């Protein structure tokens, strides 16, 4: 296993995702979910998932991890939740 250590001080989530896009793609298979299915795919519905989905949307990228549903579906749900509950 490889440990990754990143100093996050002073970075917003959006800035971090923008700066580390290549590293995130490299770590695609190493990102875990709080509520994975039997294949390890994320539901896209946890608070962490929704924040991540919205952050990728903000920078105009598709999240490289695999979700149970399509990117379009999890993005639609995340945007609905953002509109319903605010930022």
């Amino acid at each position: 296993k490889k440990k990754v250590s990143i100093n996050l001080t002073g970075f917003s989530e959006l800035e971090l995702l923008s700066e580390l896009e290549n590293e995130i793609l490299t770590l695609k298979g190493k990102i875990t979910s709080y509520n994975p299915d039997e294949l390890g795919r994320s539901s896209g519905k946890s608070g962490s998932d929704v924040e991540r989905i919205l952050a990728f949307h903000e920078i105009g990228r598709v999240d490289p991890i695999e979700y149970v549903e399509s990117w379009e579906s999890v993005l639609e749900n995340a945007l609905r939740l953002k509109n319903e509950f605010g930022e």
Side-chain angles (χ1 to χ4, degrees):
K1 293 183 178 181
K2 180 179 177 184
K3 288 187 177 185
V4 176
S5 179
I6 303 170
N7 181 355
L8 304 178
T9 306
F11 285 95
S12 72
E13 186 174 356
L14 183 58
E15 290 169 328
L16 179 63
L17 287 174
S18 293
E19 291 296 318
L20 299 177
E21 178 181 0
N22 289 333
E23 286 81 357
I24 289 170
L25 292 171
T26 300
L27 296 172
K28 177 181 174 183
K30 297 176 179 20
I31 297 171
T32 58
S33 174
Y34 290 109
N35 54 355
D37 71 357
E38 62 280 352
L39 300 176
R41 300 173 301 177
S42 176
S43 72
K45 296 179 180 177
S46 73
S48 176
D49 290 343
V50 170
E51 287 179 357
R52 180 184 169 92
I53 292 163
L54 292 173
F56 271 95
H57 176 65
E58 285 288 319
I59 62 170
R61 303 286 184 193
V62 174
D63 189 347
I65 68 168
E66 188 174 358
Y67 290 97
V68 173
E69 297 179 19
S70 70
W71 170 250
E72 293 76 15
S73 179
V74 296
L75 176 58
E76 181 180 319
N77 180 62
L79 291 170
R80 181 187 59 76
L81 290 170
K82 179 181 178 183
N83 289 334
E84 186 175 336
F85 295 104
E87 292 186 56

